[in-house]
Each structure stands twice: as C-alpha cells, then as structure tokens.
Amino acid sequence: VLKIARAAPAKAEGKDRALKPGERVLVLRQLALMLEAGVSLLESLETVAQGMQALKGRAQFVAAIAALRRGESLGTALEQHVSGFPFYVYAMARVGEASGRVADVLKDAAEQMAYEDRLRREFANAMTYPAFLLFAGVAAVGFIFTQVVPRFATMIGEDRTNVPAMSRWVLSAGEFANANLGLVALVLGR
C-alpha cells in the first residue's frame, strides 16, 4: 500500500426527479398486487420505494412510510407526503382503508390514471397533425403575401384600373403585409 485516501461518499442511485405519470400508475399496480398476495401495507410500500429510480419519488414514499408508522391513515400519509397523484387517489385510499379493500381500490385508481394518461397522449397525438397543417397553411399564405404578391404588384404597376376587384384586394393586402411585417407577425403570433 503506497497511499491511503478517503473514499468519496457514495451517491444515491437514481435520478433526482419526481415520479412520472406512468411510474405512478406502476407504483399503484405493484402495491395492489403485493397487497392481494398478502404482503403487509408497510412492507409493500418499502419494497416499492426501494425499487424507485426517482430519488424525489423515493423520498416522498419514505416519508409516507414514516407517517404510517406514526399511525396516520394511508390516504392522509399519501396526501401529505406523496404529492403528484390525482386528487381522487387520496380519497380512494381512504375509502379502501375504511372498507378493507385497499388492494382493489388501488388497482382501480391505477386503471383510472392509466386511462387518463392514455387519453392525454392520444389527444396530443391527435392534435399534432392539425397543428402542423395550420402552421404550414399560415406559413404558405405568409410566404405568398410577402414574397409572391409584391412581385406581381411590381409587374402590374401602379395603374390597376383594369385589374379585377379581388386581385386589387390581394395585391393591396400583400403590399400591406410586406410593408408591415412586424405588425403582421405580432397579430398572427397571438
């Protein structure tokens, strides 16, 4: 041995973040499964907390476990220490504890959360294509009014008496848009 040095303190494994919605659903499903298998509530919570990669989420569940050991109810412990669940999860946990059906209630809460998460993702996916079309349409009209129409206006010249009314309106709108790009961008940006 040539040199003795202190080892660097061990870092906690995982990421310094809260639980994601999908992880919350998984936690409730795991708790329900363990409770159905006859594992005690505290042991189930400890097991789930140990497997969490999200450090903030793990710390929240450790605080909830400590609250349960102090005698708080499951719903209260979750509500006070494990934020981020939908409001109904805490109420359902209270109902499950009062009725003796915690596993069933947690499973139902997990299914509802999974449904809401799936609905949120499907809605976002469904809105992506229309949003793209709207952006492309606005960009195309903007390009036409700021680049193409002014060129036609210079080709036609100042005398527009023989030009149809609709064409005069388009030419005027294009010239206005080209002359006031900042104002047009501000109006379209709202």
Side-chain angles (χ1 to χ4, degrees):
V1 176
L2 298 175
K3 185 178 180 182
I4 298 176
R6 290 185 182 249
K11 291 185 178 179
E13 289 186 31
K15 296 180 177 146
D16 190 26
R17 63 172 174 77
L19 293 173
K20 296 177 183 175
E23 291 172 324
R24 291 181 190 285
V25 170
L26 183 62
V27 163
L28 291 181
R29 285 181 176 156
Q30 288 173 339
L31 285 173
L33 185 65
M34 284 190 270
L35 291 172
E36 283 177 342
V39 179
S40 72
L41 179 61
L42 280 173
E43 192 175 345
S44 299
L45 283 166
E46 288 171 346
T47 303
V48 168
Q50 286 174 358
M52 288 181 187
Q53 293 297 313
L55 296 178
K56 289 180 183 175
R58 185 184 310 156
Q60 288 177 331
F61 272 88
V62 167
I65 292 166
L68 284 171
R69 288 198 171 136
R70 287 191 306 269
E72 292 182 24
S73 70
L74 176 63
T76 303
L78 290 176
E79 189 170 22
Q80 290 179 354
H81 301 288
V82 186
S83 60
F85 282 101
F87 69 93
Y88 56 82
V89 170
Y90 308 115
M92 289 177 77
R94 284 189 191 92
V95 168
E97 202 168 25
S99 66
R101 299 181 55 216
V102 176
D104 293 334
V105 168
L106 290 180
K107 189 187 304 181
D108 290 343
E111 294 308 314
Q112 180 63 30
M113 285 177 62
Y115 170 75
E116 290 172 1
D117 189 45
R118 186 173 53 253
L119 189 63
R120 188 175 13 261
R121 281 185 278 119
E122 287 175 1
F123 180 76
N125 288 341
M127 295 312 298
T128 301
Y129 184 65
F132 171 74
L133 289 179
L134 178 66
F135 174 77
V138 168
V141 169
F143 177 78
I144 289 169
F145 271 92
T146 60
Q147 301 299 317
V148 177
V149 172
R151 290 184 184 165
F152 275 106
T154 56
M155 285 191 295
I156 292 174
E158 293 297 320
D159 184 23
R160 297 182 183 162
T161 54
N162 295 334
V163 177
M166 182 62 102
S167 298
R168 281 195 306 261
W169 179 83
V170 170
L171 292 170
S172 297
E175 289 173 336
F176 175 81
N178 202 27
N180 300 295
L181 284 175
L183 178 65
V184 171
L186 181 68
V187 169
L188 290 178
R190 287 183 175 219

